[in-house]
Amino acid sequence: NSTSTMKKKNSTKVAKQTTKKEKDAKYHSLFSKPPSAKNVINSGSQARIDMADMQQQKRMERKQHRRELIAKWHAFADPNAPIEERRFQLLVAARLHARCQEQVVKKAMD
C-alpha cells in the first residue's frame, strides 16, 4: 500500500516538472514566441523617444558644462577691466594653467 502511495507521489512530481526546453523557452529568445507586430512597432517608437530624450539630456549637460567652464575662466580676469586687459589676463591665466594647478593660477591672478 505504501508502495502505491509512493508511486502516486512520484508520478505527480514528474508531471509538475518542466522540461529543459520549456525552461529555455522562458529565458532564451530563440525558443520563445516572437512578439506581435504591434509590440514591435510600439517598442521601436518608444526606443526612438528614449534615444531622443537621451540626446536632449546630453546636449543640456554639454551646455551646462560649457557654462561652468566659461565662468571658471572669466573668474581669472578682473570683471571691471577693459576687454583688452581681460583678454590678456585670460591669456596669462591659460599659460599658467598649462604649467601648474588651478589654485596656483588663482593666487597668481589675484
Side-chain angles (χ1 to χ4, degrees):
N1 202 4
S2 65
T3 317
S4 64
T5 311
M6 289 286 278
K7 286 182 182 179
K8 285 181 184 177
K9 286 182 182 178
N10 288 340
S11 65
T12 57
K13 284 184 181 179
V14 172
K16 289 181 181 180
Q17 289 179 345
T18 56
T19 64
K20 183 172 179 357
K21 233 183 203 182
E22 289 171 338
K23 286 180 185 177
D24 288 345
K26 291 179 184 177
Y27 304 108
H28 197 279
S29 61
L30 292 177
F31 297 115
S32 63
K33 216 165 58 169
S36 67
K38 185 177 180 181
N39 289 343
V40 171
I41 291 169
N42 288 341
S43 65
S45 61
Q46 184 63 38
R48 283 192 296 274
I49 292 169
D50 291 344
M51 183 63 77
D53 288 345
M54 285 174 47
Q55 289 173 347
Q56 174 89 15
Q57 185 178 3
K58 284 183 181 180
R59 277 193 294 265
M60 296 300 288
E61 288 172 1
R62 281 188 293 233
K63 284 182 180 180
Q64 180 62 30
H65 182 67
R66 183 180 165 104
R67 283 188 210 113
E68 290 169 0
L69 286 176
I70 290 170
K72 170 188 146 181
W73 283 100
H74 281 249
F76 288 129
D78 180 18
N80 298 323
I83 189 76
E84 293 83 18
E85 285 182 32
R86 284 188 291 178
R87 287 179 180 159
F88 184 72
Q89 289 171 350
L90 282 175
L91 175 66
V92 171
R95 292 292 295 154
L96 287 173
H97 193 279
R99 299 282 179 177
C100 55
Q101 294 182 356
E102 192 171 330
Q103 289 79 18
V104 176
V105 176
K106 282 182 182 179
K107 284 181 185 177
M109 296 304 291
D110 282 339

